[in-house]
Amino acid sequence: MNDTQSIENPWGMSVFGAASVDAAPDLARLRVAINQTRQKPGEAFEVTRAAVNQVREALRNHNVPDSAVSTSQLDLKSSWKYGGERKFLGYECTASFVIELRELDRLETVLVDVVDAGANQVDGVTFDVQAKKELRAMARAAAVAAAREKAALYAEAAGARLGPVIHIKDIDSDHLQNSYRSHRSSGDGSGDGDLTPGKISISAGVVIGFSLISG
């Protein structure tokens, strides 16, 4: 519909409101993996399983509980080199870890020790907050307040007053902005990358429909 055309079936006013709450992260998720290739499948399983045990032992030495470590089952597949002629490289076995760490000041030390223990693939470090539910609720309340303030300004400028709320639609926060700040390491776990967590912004958005009362 052309913006200059009149609105059919007028009913009131619809406005969008958004807000965010900033918080210092208190949780980090480390995503690492063990990847080994051997000529025989049994050998690939054996060396990978041994590395899994070494990584878990390294985490226990840092007082990271087993409940904070999520491990995938060992995955085995054939590995090939492609080029002028296809060449069989062996059997590739992989085990992935997601490690939740609450002591962020030990992040780099834990990451280095995990790599030294056998995790030869670092997929990334993501920061988060434990109280996300409470912070999201604060952001949603602030988004509603922002929408109401905007609607009141429009209504006043148009010589009307806000009536009751007749419609509320939640907006997916992923469409507003990134809710996490992530940092990727370069795979060798050397700590050359910036692991400063900074801050996390928890966002919320809402569309609210108001009826209007003639001023």
Side-chain angles (χ1 to χ4, degrees):
M1 181 180 70
N2 190 293
D3 291 340
T4 61
Q5 291 179 327
S6 62
I7 301 174
E8 296 182 4
N9 301 319
W11 55 271
M13 172 172 48
S14 178
V15 294
F16 168 75
S20 63
V21 177
D22 294 337
D26 56 8
L27 177 68
R29 291 186 179 89
L30 289 68
R31 289 175 171 81
V32 299
I34 299 166
N35 187 282
Q36 295 289 342
T37 302
R38 294 294 187 273
Q39 289 299 307
K40 296 182 179 180
E43 294 175 353
F45 273 124
E46 182 179 357
V47 69
T48 304
R49 188 178 293 111
V52 168
N53 293 334
Q54 292 172 0
V55 168
R56 283 195 168 274
E57 187 61 30
L59 292 172
R60 293 187 185 106
N61 290 338
H62 284 284
N63 297 319
V64 178
D66 290 348
S67 59
V69 183
S70 175
T71 311
S72 68
Q73 293 184 346
L74 298 182
D75 177 65
L76 185 70
K77 64 180 180 181
S78 300
S79 179
W80 298 83
K81 179 180 179 180
Y82 294 92
E85 181 179 349
R86 192 174 76 155
K87 180 181 179 182
F88 177 68
L89 298 178
Y91 293 93
E92 180 181 355
C93 189
T94 304
S96 301
F97 293 82
V98 177
I99 305 162
E100 287 195 353
L101 188 64
R102 300 176 188 273
E103 298 179 358
L104 299 190
D105 57 335
R106 302 173 64 182
L107 173 59
E108 293 188 31
T109 302
V110 170
L111 184 57
V112 169
D113 287 352
V114 165
V115 170
D116 288 343
N120 54 2
Q121 181 177 318
V122 180
D123 294 325
V125 179
T126 304
F127 296 102
D128 206 345
V129 288
Q130 300 178 54
K132 183 180 292 181
K133 181 178 179 180
E134 292 80 3
L135 293 172
R136 183 80 71 192
M138 293 172 58
R140 285 170 173 159
V144 169
R148 179 176 287 277
E149 180 181 3
K150 183 191 297 185
L153 287 172
Y154 281 132
E156 181 180 1
R161 291 182 293 113
L162 291 182
V165 173
I166 58 177
H167 178 78
I168 298 178
K169 179 181 179 181
D170 180 57
I171 303 299
D172 188 350
S173 60
D174 290 340
H175 295 303
L176 300 175
Q177 65 181 58
N178 293 331
S179 298
Y180 305 93
R181 182 179 175 183
S182 303
H183 301 265
R184 295 227 174 240
S185 181
S186 57
D188 57 1
S190 61
D192 292 336
D194 177 21
L195 291 181
T196 304
K199 66 179 181 180
I200 291 176
S201 182
I202 307 299
S203 303
V206 65
V207 173
I208 302 182
F210 294 90
S211 61
L212 291 175
I213 302 174
S214 300

